[in-house]
Amino acid sequence: MAIHTANLEQGMPTVEQAIIRMDQAIRSAKSKRGKVLKLIHGYGSSGKGGAIRDGVQSALAAHQRAGRIRAFVPGEAFSPFYPESRAAVDICPELLRDRDYTRPNHGITIVVL
């Protein structure tokens, strides 16, 4: 399977712990020749966006700049209306069958490895 999933919010970790889990999930998915990693980080209990989501996406931006990942797509942009989503689907067509595709979900991020 080309899509791997990691639940970063399980057990209510700190932002730092969630980022460590994310880094481990990226390494694991790459070692299994995965194309895409779906991160479940939640959106925060306030509904205004969570610290884990913000921290994970900041870390992913740094990983992308450093060339450790190809790209990432925030869940709210995971639809055919966004070029980054279309590029991800081109790399991994299985994403078209993902239940969150076309459904804005601020609690996930798609990582293109």
Side-chain angles (χ1 to χ4, degrees):
M1 178 181 222
I3 303 171
H4 296 266
T5 302
N7 186 344
L8 304 181
E9 67 176 345
Q10 187 174 1
M12 298 180 60
T14 65
V15 173
E16 293 78 17
Q17 291 168 329
I19 290 171
I20 290 168
R21 285 184 189 172
M22 177 197 72
D23 289 339
Q24 291 169 338
I26 289 171
R27 283 193 300 276
S28 175
K30 282 184 168 189
S31 74
K32 296 174 184 169
R33 299 196 186 273
K35 295 179 184 178
V36 172
L37 174 63
K38 181 178 183 179
L39 299 175
I40 302 167
H41 46 63
Y43 187 53
S45 57
S46 68
K48 297 178 184 174
I52 290 176
R53 176 184 184 273
D54 294 342
V56 161
Q57 290 184 352
S58 291
L60 288 171
H63 284 331
Q64 186 176 7
R65 285 190 301 273
R68 291 187 288 273
I69 63 169
R70 293 166 87 173
F72 68 96
V73 182
E76 62 272 17
F78 188 40
S79 81
F81 301 108
Y82 294 89
E84 60 268 30
S85 286
R86 290 192 302 270
V89 167
D90 286 345
I91 291 166
C92 183
E94 293 94 334
L95 286 170
L96 290 171
R97 294 189 301 273
D98 188 276
R99 69 183 191 102
D100 288 307
Y101 191 63
T102 73
R103 293 178 41 205
N105 183 346
H106 295 267
I108 67 160
T109 298
I110 303 298
V111 181
V112 180
L113 306 168

